[in-house]
Each structure stands twice: as structure tokens, then as C-alpha cells.
Amino acid sequence: MVDERQRRTIRLRRRIVTGVAFLLGAASLTALAIAVAPPQNTELAAPAIRDASGTGSTSATVLPTTLAPTTTTAARGRPTPVPIDMRAPNAPVFSRVPTTDPVVFLTIDDGIVQDPAVLDYIRQKRIPVTMFPIPAYVEQNEPYFQAIHATGATVQDHTVHHTDLRTLSPANQQAEICGPLDEYQQKFGMRPWIFRPPYGFMNANVAYVARSCGIRAIVLWKAATNDGRVDTQGGPLQAGDIVLMHFRTDLRQNLEVVLNQIRALGLRPAYLSDYLTAG
């Protein structure tokens, strides 16, 4: 017969065996869980696109301001121009140039701030830009605008006084639109043929009056830069989009930001003058 002492010994051995088995099983499960667990994602998330307040369908993309690569239209092949019928009585209006070329168009308005850093950056990166300055600002510092023009930029029409054209009679609209053309031809060697109405405001007469001045096309925009943002209409930039910029204190930053966004989307900047041609 098994006495009480032997029974206690047997029960103790069983407890030890059970405990060891439990510990071995738990260790195996832990190792299995580690083996099959997905690795942690250590990459930074892409910048979010958000709606810009007060601008309807406009969205804003904020991107880091790292240096963009040097890029020019000429370096990437010949552009595919958009022929424009100069026999039509009204100048056509474009917010986006109808092209399949992977290009967008950087346009700079007004001219109130003439930042040397902007000129240096355009030169350094060989950025294709189109200028829409006001004559009074050109007269303040003509060498500045001449220097940007010398990089390949064209100087186009933005009226004489930056007036809301909807408030003017057709005769006064004509004076505002036609007014800078002779002066710019004399200063920059070419008569402007692209027009942007101040604020993007226009009525039914403007396209007719602009054509009477010899304007080929009126351009608005699909995106605008502000304080290091690119505010877009209807999603990210795409081929043919026209980007509105201004000669302001944030222009140098905005150029860098928009160039990086263009690069990320597989696009490049180009000259409007290479695309809006007389057909």
C-alpha cells in the first residue's frame, strides 16, 4: 500500500510537470505571436489634402519645402501647342490648358514686392514663369522685371490699374486692357497676347474687348499659392493647370513648395507662351 507520504510526493511531481508544461506552452505562443505580427510602419504619412475655408471646392496641400530639381520645358522635349482661332470675335478663356503634356503653368501677377531672392531662385532653378505685372510696378523697378524676362519669362497683360472690369464701360475696359500693350512691347521687345483680368472678374464684354486689342487668350487659374500652400480646385494639380502666384513676400517660399508638389505628381512647369499660340 501507498502511504500518505508517497501520495504527497506523487501529487507534488504532478504539479511540477503541469507547471512546466504551462510555461513552455505560453512561451511558444508568445514566440508565434511575435513571428506573425506585422512590422510597424515607420514611414511618415503623406501630407493630407484639406478643404480651404471659404473657397468652396478648393483644397489646400501643404508640402515640405525641400529643394526642387532644375527643370525647363526645353530640356524635356518640344511642347504641344494649343492652336487658337484668331478669327473668332471673342478671346477664349482658359483655367486649364487642354494638353496631355505633363506640364503646369506658373503665372505671377501684379509686382508690388520685388524680392531679389525670387529672381535668384528663378535663375538658379531655371523656372519657366509667365508674368502679369501692373505697369506702375514695372516703372518702379524695371531692371527687376527685365532680369526675370531675361530668364525666358514673357510679360503679359493685366490691365493698367488692376481694376474690376465689370464696373467699367466697354470703352473703359478697352483702355484698361489695351493700355499696357505698346509700353510692354517697347520695354520687353514683344507685344503681350495673353490677358488675365484682375481678380479673375469679367463680364460678357471682356472677351470681345480683349480680342479687339489683339489678345489671343484670357487665362484664369485652377490653383493658387498662399503662405506656403497650394490651394487647388477639384483635387491635386494635373496636366494643363494654371497656377496663380503673386509678387509678394511669400513668393520665394511658394515657388519652392509648388515646384516640389509638381515634381511629386510627375509634372513639370512650362511657359504659357509655348502653348497658347495663334492657329
Side-chain angles (χ1 to χ4, degrees):
M1 294 181 60
V2 179
D3 60 20
E4 183 62 26
R5 179 180 295 179
Q6 289 176 325
R7 283 197 292 270
R8 287 199 299 270
T9 301
I10 292 170
R11 287 198 296 268
L12 179 61
R13 288 175 179 173
R14 287 175 179 172
R15 289 173 184 167
I16 292 172
V17 171
T18 301
V20 170
F22 175 82
L23 291 174
L24 290 174
S28 298
L29 289 174
T30 301
L32 180 62
I34 294 173
V36 302
Q40 291 183 344
N41 183 7
T42 59
E43 296 182 1
L44 293 177
I49 296 177
R50 58 179 176 80
D51 291 335
S53 60
T55 54
S57 61
T58 300
S59 62
T61 306
V62 181
L63 294 178
T65 55
T66 54
L67 291 179
T70 299
T71 176
T72 64
T73 302
R76 302 299 188 95
R78 299 183 62 181
T80 307
V82 177
I84 295 172
D85 185 3
M86 292 299 293
R87 299 169 297 178
N90 294 339
V93 181
F94 296 96
S95 296
R96 173 182 290 133
V97 175
T99 180
T100 57
D101 291 357
V103 295
V104 296
F105 305 97
L106 306 184
T107 63
I108 312 177
D109 284 13
D110 300 347
I112 189 170
V113 176
Q114 297 127 27
D115 183 359
V118 169
L119 171 59
D120 292 343
Y121 193 66
I122 291 173
R123 281 174 170 165
Q124 177 191 0
K125 298 299 178 181
R126 292 182 287 171
I127 306 169
V129 300
T130 304
M131 292 187 285
F132 292 86
I134 298 300
Y137 298 133
V138 174
E139 292 169 6
Q140 286 178 4
N141 191 356
E142 183 179 336
Y144 179 81
F145 296 97
Q146 289 285 7
I148 296 178
H149 175 252
T151 68
T154 61
V155 178
Q156 302 295 346
D157 188 6
H158 197 40
T159 72
V160 177
H161 299 108
H162 205 273
T163 304
D164 181 352
L165 295 174
R166 300 172 302 176
T167 67
L168 304 181
S169 68
N172 288 333
Q173 287 178 346
Q174 186 175 44
E176 283 289 334
I177 297 171
C178 296
L181 303 183
D182 290 341
E183 177 185 346
Y184 286 175
Q185 182 173 10
Q186 180 182 5
K187 290 181 183 297
F188 300 101
M190 186 173 291
R191 191 176 182 83
W193 69 92
I194 305 171
F195 172 63
R196 170 171 283 150
Y199 318 105
F201 293 162
M202 55 187 298
N203 58 22
N205 294 323
V206 169
Y208 178 82
V209 172
R211 179 50 58 86
S212 75
C213 295
I215 295 296
R216 295 180 193 170
I218 297 171
V219 296
L220 303 178
W221 57 89
K222 277 291 185 180
T225 60
N226 299 281
D227 302 321
R229 302 189 320 273
V230 181
D231 301 328
T232 63
Q233 301 175 26
L237 288 170
Q238 58 183 286
D241 278 355
I242 300 170
V243 180
L244 172 66
M245 312 182 81
H246 289 89
F247 285 100
R248 298 187 306 215
T249 56
D250 62 353
L251 179 56
R252 167 61 179 80
Q253 177 190 15
N254 291 336
L255 280 168
E256 189 171 339
V257 170
V258 76
L259 281 176
N260 279 284
Q261 180 163 344
I262 288 169
R263 177 180 62 175
L265 294 170
L267 303 170
R268 65 181 186 271
Y271 292 113
L272 271 176
S273 55
D274 286 343
Y275 283 80
L276 297 180
T277 64

